[in-house]
Amino acid sequence: METNAVPAAAPVLVARGLFRFRSVDGQQVPIVRDVSFELRAGEFATIMGPSGSGKSTLLHLLAGLDRPSAGDVLLAGENLGAGDEEHRAALRRRHVGFVFQFFHLLPDLTVEENVTGPLRIVGQNPNRHRGRIQNLLELLGVAKVANRLPAALSGGEMQRVSIARALATQPPLVLADEPTGNLSSKAGEEVVALLRSVCARLGAAILLVTHNPRDAAAGDRVMFLHDGALRQAAELTGGPFGVADVFRRLEELGI
Ligand SMILES: Nc1ncnc2c1ncn2[C@@H]1O[C@H](COP(=O)(O)OP(=O)(O)OP(=O)(O)O)[C@@H](O)[C@H]1O
Ligand SMILES: [Mg+2]
């Protein structure tokens, strides 16, 4: 399986000087503050930050689900801010798969229909991708439940289905927002390990945000977000890490 082509040299994601202000009690408060970083094709990066540090707000900006107050997001070299809503939606559909904490599977559709939904949205006939989708369901260990409705799945299975859905259109980038937040620790570990191995196999880059040090430790690179700002000097590179490495860095940062 191949992902949508991205020139080898172009980062799959660039965030440049991102700010997002929100009105809180009549005051404009920065929720995301001057965030800049790049993600290379195939990289597995995590952002660790406490509850309320701005992780979801940042991911929504990166996916084009929300617009920054200042700064730019480039997906595979294309500027998300360059056009209207429709332009942003088109770039998102082409370049990004999103994995949510609460799965967001459609309850009346089977597992297979949920997974092929993004293909239909981009106007592709799922039957033409049958072998590839079957392979994806198998890689994620959910081929056996392909005809079930989401209500008949465990939490871990639901999240593995939503990873398959995120990968259905072969995006070069997967953004995951606390993907283990609603899972037992065993199911959560499985989900992160699968995300890592399946994306590596398909060549997709991952950016996973979490407040869970164990999940963060799975990254090749761990960034730290505090009060909406990245603590750039604290970034860990050369992972995956032991959870103790992440705790040590958190202690050094006092967060
Ligand atoms: N629509 C909104 N209006 C005003 N403030 C908001 C809004 N959405 C989020 N916030 C605030 O922005 C801050 C960051 O929120 P965000 O959801 O990005 O945090 P998070 O790091 O994802 O937290 P969690 O780990 O709990 O999911 C919080 O203080 C939150 O209260
Ligand atoms: Mg959040």
Side-chain angles (χ1 to χ4, degrees), residues 25-241:
D25 300 329
Q27 300 258 30
Q28 287 294 308
V29 175
I31 306 292
V32 170
R33 294 187 291 146
D34 200 15
V35 166
S36 299
F37 69 96
E38 292 186 0
L39 204 63
R40 302 249 140 223
E43 200 173 11
F44 182 178
T46 60
I47 294 183
M48 164 88 220
S51 182
S53 58
K55 301 183 297 296
S56 295
T57 306
L58 175 61
L59 269 201
H60 284 89
L61 297 176
L62 300 175
L65 295 166
D66 182 23
R67 301 183 62 177
S69 308
D72 292 303
V73 176
L74 279 67
L75 288 176
E78 293 192 72
N79 197 327
L80 263 181
D84 57 9
E85 180 73 33
E86 187 42 46
H87 168 83
R88 233 177 18 256
L91 283 183
R92 177 170 64 242
R93 288 195 289 262
R94 190 153 74 239
H95 296 303
V96 181
F98 210 101
V99 178
F100 300 90
Q101 178 175 354
F102 297 100
F103 322 128
H104 291 198
L105 297 173
L106 296 173
D108 299 330
L109 300 184
T110 66
V111 162
E112 186 167 0
E113 288 163 348
N114 266 281
V115 170
T116 54
L119 286 172
R120 281 189 288 271
I121 289 172
V122 297
Q124 297 194 34
N125 181 349
N127 289 331
R128 299 182 139 227
H129 298 268
R130 240 202 157 88
R132 194 172 57 75
I133 295 296
Q134 179 63 23
N135 189 14
L136 200 49
L137 292 171
E138 273 162 22
L139 284 175
L140 285 153
V142 289
K144 287 192 302 290
V145 297
N147 295 316
R148 286 198 204 161
L149 294 177
L153 303 179
S154 70
E157 286 169 335
M158 286 189 210
Q159 197 57 302
R160 286 185 273 132
V161 169
S162 73
I163 293 169
R165 177 185 56 185
L167 290 165
T169 54
Q170 309 178 78
L173 172 65
V174 173
L175 300 174
D177 191 354
E178 307 263 12
T180 68
N182 276 292
L183 304 179
S184 68
S185 66
K186 181 168 174 286
E189 265 178 68
E190 270 171 25
V191 158
V192 172
L194 272 173
L195 199 51
R196 189 178 171 90
S197 65
V198 174
C199 290
R201 188 159 171 163
L202 304 184
I206 308 175
L207 180 62
L208 179 157
V209 303
T210 182
H211 65 249
N212 182 333
R214 195 202 58 220
D215 293 352
D220 297 326
R221 174 179 169 201
V222 186
M223 295 176 265
F224 294 86
L225 190 71
H226 186 52
D227 283 344
L230 280 183
R231 305 283 284 268
Q232 236 131 8
E235 181 172 323
L236 295 170
T237 55
F241 304 91

Side-chain angles (χ1 to χ4, degrees), residues 224 233-236 244-254:
F224 294 86
E235 181 172 323
L236 295 170
D245 300 318
V246 176
F247 274 118
R248 198 174 311 117
R249 186 52 54 92
L250 286 168
E251 209 163 294
E252 286 162 11
L253 291 167

